[in-house]
Amino acid sequence: MRAMVISSDESSAGTLAPATLPDPSPGPGEVLIDVAAAGVNRADLLQLQGMHPPPAGAPDWPGLEVSGTIAALGEQVTGYGVGDRVCALLDGGGYAERAVARADLLLPVPDDRDLVEAAGLPEALATLWSNLFAVPGVPGAAGLDPHALDGATILVHGGSGGVGTTAIQLLTALGVRVLTTAGGPDRTARCAALGAHRAIDYRSEDFVEVTHAETEGRGADVVLDVVGAKYLQQNIDALAPFGHLVIIGMQKGATAELKLAPVLTRWLSVHGTVLRQRPPEQKTAILADVRERTWPLVTRGTIRPAIHARVPLAEAGEAHRMMADGEVFGKVLLLP
C-alpha cells in the first residue's frame, strides 16, 4: 500500500515522504479499513517535529483519524461486517491507503452522509466530549451535564480550527451559549454562521472584556483553550466563579506565570489532557460515549465537519504547510 511516512534521511528529517508498505493485517478486536480519507491534525505536525510520539505498538507514520470501508475483520469482532462504512480514531497510521483500527474505536457512517467528510470527526468529537463532559471510567473531565446546559456559557478558543468548528456546532446543539475567538472578520463571520452566539476577533478585541460583557460580568463557565501559555492568565480572568479551564493545546507556548489568588478566591480549576496518550480502556469509554451521545447529532446532519480542503495523500506536506501557516478553516483531509 502507499503511505506517507516520516523521512529517515537526516537531510530531510521532519518531512513526509511517499513509501510502499505491506498491507497491515487486523489482529483480534481490530478491523482493516480501505481509507477514503484521513484527517490532518496539529498533533501530526508535532509528530514530525519529534514532539508527539505514537504510543507503543502504533504505526510510526502520522494519521489519527480516518474514514472508509471495512476490508477485513480480525478475530472477536462483532457488530461490523466487510463493506461497512465507518470512521475511526487511531493511534497512528492514517496517512495510508489502508489502516488498522480497533473495533471499539469505530463510528458507523450512514449511507446518506459523506464518507470522506466523516474523517474529520472522530478526533474532534472525542477530544471535546472527554474534556467537557463526564465520561464513565475516564478521570479528568469537566463533568458538565449535557442534559442541563441551558444558560451555560463556554468560551472556545480557535473557533476556526477543526476542534473549534465542531465545538461550536455540538455545544450550540446542546443549548450552550458559545463564545469563540478567531482571527479577522471573515473567520468570525463563519464561526457565527456555525452557531456561535458571539465570535470575537482576537486581533482587534479583548476576549476577556467581551466575555464579561456577554455574561453581564459573570464570565464563562468553561474555557476550552488550544493556545496555551500566551492566554493562561487571560483565561483565568475570563472565567466565572467555579469556572473550569481546559487546556488541550499549546500553540502559543508551554510555559507561563499564573497569579494564583483568582484561582483560589473564585474556586477555579485547571486541567489539561492529551487524547492520544490515554490508556486504551479510556479511549474505549470515550468513543462509546461519543457513539451514544453525540453521534446521533451527526447522523441527523446537525453536526457536519467544516472541510477546508481535500488534498491528495501524496501532497500531505502541503496540507501540513497550510495548517502551520494558519490558512485552514476547519479540517484538511488527505485522499489516497
Side-chain angles (χ1 to χ4, degrees):
M1 69 176 185
R2 292 179 300 133
M4 294 298 290
V5 302
I6 299 175
S7 175
S8 58
D9 182 350
E10 291 185 5
S11 65
S12 58
T15 62
L16 292 167
T20 301
L21 305 175
D23 282 357
S25 299
E30 297 177 336
V31 304
L32 177 65
I33 298 174
D34 282 328
V35 175
V40 178
N41 292 278
R42 287 198 173 271
D44 300 324
L45 279 67
L46 293 174
Q47 183 174 343
L48 258 67
Q49 301 168 23
M51 299 169 60
H52 198 64
D60 58 7
W61 59 94
L64 299 177
E65 57 186 348
V66 298
S67 62
T69 55
I70 295 178
L73 303 174
E75 297 178 1
Q76 304 169 14
V77 174
T78 60
Y80 292 99
V82 172
D84 284 357
R85 293 157 46 98
V86 296
C87 57
L89 187 70
L90 308 176
D91 288 333
Y95 286 17
E97 291 179 307
R98 287 188 152 188
V100 168
R102 285 169 36 197
D104 55 6
L105 301 185
L106 298 178
L107 296 165
V109 179
D111 290 341
D112 61 348
R113 293 292 144 213
D114 188 310
L115 183 61
V116 169
E117 284 190 356
L121 287 169
E123 181 78 13
L125 286 175
T127 295
L128 289 167
W129 201 257
S130 62
N131 280 288
L132 295 176
F133 303 104
V135 177
V138 178
L144 297 175
D145 181 353
H147 302 294
L149 290 173
D150 285 342
T153 299
I154 296 181
L155 171 62
V156 176
H157 286 302
S160 61
V163 172
T165 52
T166 303
I168 293 169
Q169 297 174 74
L170 171 63
L171 294 172
T172 299
L174 294 175
V176 173
R177 178 168 51 181
V178 179
L179 310 181
T180 192
T181 57
D186 176 67
R187 287 175 177 262
T188 54
R190 295 176 71 179
C191 289
L194 288 173
H197 172 77
R198 175 71 155 82
I200 306 163
D201 185 351
Y202 66 78
R203 296 175 183 171
S204 60
E205 298 180 285
D206 183 322
F207 71 81
V208 177
E209 292 181 0
V210 174
T211 298
H212 282 280
E214 293 290 338
T215 57
E216 298 181 348
R218 182 173 178 274
D221 298 289
V222 177
V223 175
L224 184 69
D225 180 51
V226 298
V227 176
K230 182 178 179 179
Y231 277 3
L232 180 59
Q233 189 61 57
Q234 291 167 278
N235 285 333
I236 294 297
D237 295 341
L239 283 170
F242 300 99
H244 195 70
L245 169 60
V246 184
I247 302 171
I248 61 171
M250 298 180 293
Q251 294 179 19
K252 297 294 183 181
T255 304
E257 291 188 359
L258 176 65
K259 297 176 183 178
L260 290 176
V263 178
L264 275 63
T265 58
R266 290 194 283 124
W267 311 281
L268 307 179
S269 60
V270 180
H271 89 257
T273 63
V274 177
L275 178 63
R276 189 180 197 181
Q277 303 298 337
R278 280 190 181 274
E281 63 275 11
Q282 291 188 19
K283 290 185 180 179
T284 298
I286 290 167
L287 263 291
D289 228 33
V290 166
R291 190 179 302 112
E292 176 184 355
R293 305 172 83 172
T294 75
W295 204 242
L297 295 171
V298 174
T299 61
R300 293 197 296 267
T302 304
I303 296 174
R304 292 188 59 183
I307 305 302
H308 179 85
R310 303 182 184 204
V311 177
L313 177 63
E315 298 176 18
E318 172 63 13
H320 280 213
R321 184 202 62 77
M322 294 164 62
M323 291 278 290
D325 289 351
E327 297 178 11
V328 175
F329 185 95
K331 297 288 294 192
V332 176
L333 304 180
L334 298 177
L335 279 58

